[in-house]
Amino acid sequence: MNNILKFFLYMIGIIVSIPIVFFGYMMWSQRPLHGPTFYARVTVDMKVDDQPIHIERIVTCKTSLSHGGWFKRGVTKYLSYPFAIGTELADGGAIMLSTPYECDREEYTDSKEVKSIRAKQLPPDYTPRIGWTPNYSTLKTLEIYIDRDSFKSTTSRIKDYSFHTELIDEKTAAQEKISAEDFQWFSGTIYTKNDNKDYKRIRYNGYYARVLNEEQWRGHRPELDAELDSYTQAQMVERRPELGDKQPRFIL
């Protein structure tokens, strides 16, 4: 009788252990293939209301899980922490921007024919999302610049924008790195521990308008042409239920 009981207990143990081993192996096989963390110094220069502004930050480049697959190593990608940087201005305002570095590196040959690794620069015309506020303590107004054309406006507060990135070693990063970044919220996400597991979402809405001349908008949608032709003075295009999914406010 004892032998029969032992047999059934062994069988139960084997049956129970199969899914445990299976899921354990599955989790092990899907473990992320993380790359080594590295650091970079990002410097940004611009003029805000004709006043020169210099921003310098130490950026941590660390891999984060992008997606995984069945019995495959999880794919990771480098992310720059913090996602956004900025500085307060002497008049109580502030300027902030998405970190202009995507943690990309490239191999090059120096003047001594030695191959080395350097930070890969983004194109000179690259423009991160930039924000300006006249009062950072209340933050009731946030003016957003979305591309280089934004700087061309006669009312633009930002001019002569430029940036540069260089790799630095871990020791230098530890000596120069600031403890916190107050402008992370501008990216929409605050990562509290430099990973994608511990974070807070920051939600805010923004609107912008782009002026189009008639040659640019006419002829794309008959209902849009009819809508705009019906106006005799400048006004906002609001919701028009009779247009269904073809409302001009989504097209403009």
Side-chain angles (χ1 to χ4, degrees):
M1 187 67 180
N2 289 335
N3 291 334
I4 296 176
L5 179 62
K6 289 181 180 180
F7 174 78
F8 278 108
L9 290 177
Y10 281 130
M11 291 300 296
I12 292 173
I14 293 173
I15 293 172
V16 171
S17 65
I18 288 176
I20 295 176
V21 172
F22 173 79
F23 284 107
Y25 174 73
M26 184 176 66
M27 296 298 294
W28 176 82
S29 64
Q30 293 179 179
R31 65 195 187 282
L33 187 62
H34 287 296
T37 297
F38 64 94
Y39 304 88
R41 180 186 289 107
V42 175
T43 56
V44 178
D45 290 283
M46 68 180 82
K47 287 184 179 179
V48 180
D49 290 331
D50 294 325
Q51 297 297 316
I53 300 297
H54 179 79
I55 301 174
E56 186 171 316
R57 289 291 187 276
I58 303 301
V59 173
T60 300
C61 291
K62 184 177 180 180
T63 53
S64 177
L65 180 64
S66 178
H67 65 272
W70 289 97
F71 303 106
K72 292 182 180 179
R73 297 293 296 271
V75 177
T76 60
K77 63 179 180 179
Y78 274 103
L79 297 177
S80 55
Y81 301 97
F83 275 12
I85 59 179
T87 186
E88 295 189 47
L89 306 176
D91 60 3
I95 195 79
M96 61 218 74
L97 66 151
S98 301
T99 303
Y101 182 49
E102 297 179 353
C103 288
D104 196 5
R105 295 176 290 181
E106 63 182 358
E107 187 179 80
Y108 76 103
T109 303
D110 61 20
S111 57
K112 298 181 180 179
E113 300 299 321
V114 177
K115 290 185 177 181
S116 302
I117 300 295
R118 64 186 175 189
K120 188 174 182 179
Q121 303 295 317
L122 291 167
D125 60 347
Y126 169 82
T127 305
R129 186 173 67 255
I130 300 176
W132 169 87
T133 181
N135 191 326
Y136 192 57
S137 62
T138 60
L139 201 62
K140 291 182 178 180
T141 299
L142 185 59
E143 191 173 286
I144 304 293
Y145 295 80
I146 59 173
D147 55 22
R148 290 277 170 166
D149 288 340
S150 304
F151 304 150
K152 298 177 183 179
S153 171
T154 55
T155 60
S156 173
R157 302 178 186 278
I158 300 175
K159 298 178 181 177
D160 301 333
Y161 170 81
S162 63
F163 60 94
H164 180 72
T165 307
E166 62 176 328
L167 298 180
I168 59 174
D169 56 40
E170 186 175 0
K171 182 179 179 180
T172 303
Q175 293 173 344
E176 299 184 17
K177 190 175 182 181
I178 58 175
S179 59
E181 176 54 67
D182 294 335
F183 294 90
Q184 287 189 84
W185 63 267
F186 188 63
S187 70
T189 306
I190 297 178
Y191 289 89
T192 55
K193 293 184 179 180
N194 280 0
D195 59 35
N196 63 346
K197 295 180 180 179
D198 193 353
Y199 63 88
K200 298 178 181 179
R201 291 288 190 189
I202 307 298
R203 301 296 186 185
Y204 60 92
N205 294 322
Y207 303 87
Y208 73 95
R210 182 175 181 181
V211 179
L212 304 178
N213 58 43
E214 184 174 348
E215 290 75 16
Q216 291 175 297
W217 60 257
R218 183 173 294 282
H220 294 282
R221 297 279 182 86
E223 63 273 13
L224 175 61
D225 293 349
E227 175 75 16
L228 298 181
D229 285 337
S230 68
Y231 299 143
T232 58
Q233 60 184 4
Q235 58 185 287
M236 291 184 64
V237 180
E238 296 291 350
R239 179 183 294 274
R240 295 295 296 273
E242 66 270 21
L243 294 177
D245 293 333
K246 298 178 181 178
Q247 298 167 20
R249 71 182 189 134
F250 290 130
I251 298 172
L252 292 181

